[in-house]
Amino acid sequence: MNSESSGVRDTILDVGQRIMAGKGFSAVGLNEILVSAGVPKGSFYHYFGSKDAFGEALLARYFEAYLAEMDVTLRNPDATMASKLLTYFGKWRTNQSFDDCQGKCLAVKLGAEVVDLSEPMRLTLKQGTAGIVARLAEAIEGGIADGSLKVEGEAGQVAQSLYQLWLGASLMAKIARDAVAFDAALATTRRLLQLPG
């Protein structure tokens, strides 16, 4: 794919991510994305075989960027692992704002909606979230090793619990339109990682 083709594809994905983060997958038609992107309809099918294929590509690209940003946060050489994890969850809170996540909360927005619509999108979500949990588990193991945190139980199970906790908090923050769920999630996170409040 040449750079011009890649640019058009990226534009469609960028615009689609922004719109779908606000409205969801099913509520957005291809025409809305293409008009906003300034791209003719025929171009869409040059890059994506269907709306589902577009959704799969959208989620794959979202998780690729998300995991890369997560790696930067968790690999900061100037902080303990406990501090890095708290920074990660602080960024989560900021990016999952109930007012406007600007495409940064796509897994939360689309997760429950698309898992029953498309098996490829479900599998992309499963793979992406597994990558997040694996990084959290590795970070927890690193925190135990550097002495900055302690956990009861296996790091992978604690990581899974933390991810589910924050995913649920994101949904509750959207329902309540306040940050109370994030405050509770942070307090529980500190307890699970045995960090001072």
Side-chain angles (χ1 to χ4, degrees), residues 23-54:
K23 294 183 175 182
F25 185 79
S26 299
V28 177
L30 295 180
N31 282 340
E32 181 178 359
I33 294 169
L34 297 173
V35 167
S36 294
V39 174
K41 193 168 191 170
S43 292
F44 177 87
Y45 291 105
H46 175 73
Y47 301 107
F48 311 102
S50 65
K51 186 178 178 186
D52 282 2
F54 169 75

Side-chain angles (χ1 to χ4, degrees), residues 50-115:
S50 65
K51 186 178 178 186
D52 282 2
F54 169 75
E56 184 182 356
L58 185 70
L59 288 167
R61 193 177 78 141
Y62 165 80
F63 280 113
E64 182 181 335
Y66 185 99
L67 293 171
E69 185 176 328
M70 191 176 182
D71 287 342
V72 169
T73 300
L74 296 178
R75 292 183 181 154
N76 174 4
D78 300 324
T80 64
M81 194 53 78
S83 176
K84 293 176 204 181
L85 280 167
L86 291 175
T87 297
Y88 166 73
F89 287 118
K91 287 180 179 183
W92 179 310
R93 179 187 181 126
T94 300
N95 290 338
Q96 300 292 329
S97 165
F98 52 88
D99 289 328
D100 181 16
C101 64
Q102 301 172 357
K104 295 179 181 175
C105 52
L106 207 60
V108 174
K109 183 69 175 187
L110 300 186
E113 179 185 0
V114 302
V115 293

Side-chain angles (χ1 to χ4, degrees), residues 151-173:
V151 297
E152 291 183 21
E154 193 265 320
Q157 291 176 339
V158 175
Q160 185 72 46
S161 294
L162 286 172
Y163 183 70
Q164 292 169 357
L165 170 70
W166 282 86
L167 201 61
S170 297
L171 182 58
M172 290 308 299

